[in-house]
Amino acid sequence: MLSTTHLLDIDDLSTEDVHTVLDRAAALKAGEDDTRLAQQTLGMIFEKPSTRTRTSFETGMTKLGGHAVYLGPDDIHLGHGEPIKDTSRALSRYVDAVMARLFDHADCEELAEYADVPVINGLTDEAHPCQTLADLLTIREEFGFDTRVAWVGDGNNVGQSFVLGCALVGIDLTVATPEGYGMDASVLDRAAELGSAPELAESPEAAVADADVVYTDVFVSMGEEDEREEKLAAFDGYQVNADLLSYVSEETKVMHCLPAHRGEEITDEVLESDRAVVWEQAENRMHAQNGLLVELLTDD
């Protein structure tokens, strides 16, 4: 039983909660027969397209014995045609949980405020807690949490949730971001309150020194296409490539939440190398989310 009803960002979970979810995820991944979500339905609201989020949640619910309903922008009246609070209250009468992949984080908060069932943030412009759970599961499998990780690139929603996730489990994290594109100060403050704010490095090379894992994400996120040229110029020198990895051990792994813009934040050579554990991350989206769903929707 978790200490929270909803997951809007990763620090809605306690440290104990994170370990509980990851333990459950690992057991399910190892073959634990768990169909205790039989006859339960997950409503999946999508304002943004996705490969991994939709497939992992929908397949995951099937594996758990339940069902998922896809609700795209043309299928419901979220924010247009009826207030978000009305959509939330109506869905609560039909489904056992709601997963929402939205632009505005405040919309996710409003869904949760008026819902009578758990609401899971499948991504907003501020946070991506489900990705962080998958990332933590992947790191735990590869190294355990007594490890050093470097985040190189944009201080975006994935990075901000990852900062908080690392703080929750005690991972030693170093962050390298260009000036003006760092993690939000409030996120760094929250990480410090959890007991482990990341070290801020002056360069990617400094960040990756002694790292067991180098993690990056796209420089130009969905919805930022009009900033593309400006951002690519600002991120010159932050690409995860063979030159950057010459500063780390041959055992260092590379993570990316996908989709990747090959040739921008990461090279094709690195992404296709044995260093990359990106496909393990992608698979672990389903296992981590299954662990979360079971813990949110059952009492044992």
Side-chain angles (χ1 to χ4, degrees), residues 28 33-44 55-70 94-97 290 293-294 297-298:
L28 292 168
D33 184 14
D34 194 334
T35 57
R36 70 185 79 184
L37 298 192
Q39 305 302 313
Q40 297 204 46
T41 299
L42 174 69
M44 305 189 303
T55 309
S56 60
F57 269 109
E58 194 162 334
T59 303
M61 280 298 292
T62 300
K63 287 180 177 293
L64 294 171
H67 176 63
V69 177
Y70 175 80
Y94 305 133
V95 304
D96 299 281
N290 282 2
L293 287 164
V294 169
L297 296 176
T298 64

Side-chain angles (χ1 to χ4, degrees), residues 200-218:
L200 303 182
E202 295 183 356
S203 68
E205 292 79 10
V208 303
D210 300 322
D212 300 302
V213 178
V214 176
Y215 193 170
T216 191
D217 190 14
V218 294

Side-chain angles (χ1 to χ4, degrees), residues 5 100 103 131 137 169 173 225 243 251 256 283 288 293:
T5 301
F103 285 96
Q131 182 63 55
L137 181 59
V169 300
L173 177 64
E225 288 78 10
D243 287 342
E251 304 302 316
H256 192 304
E283 179 183 342
L293 287 164

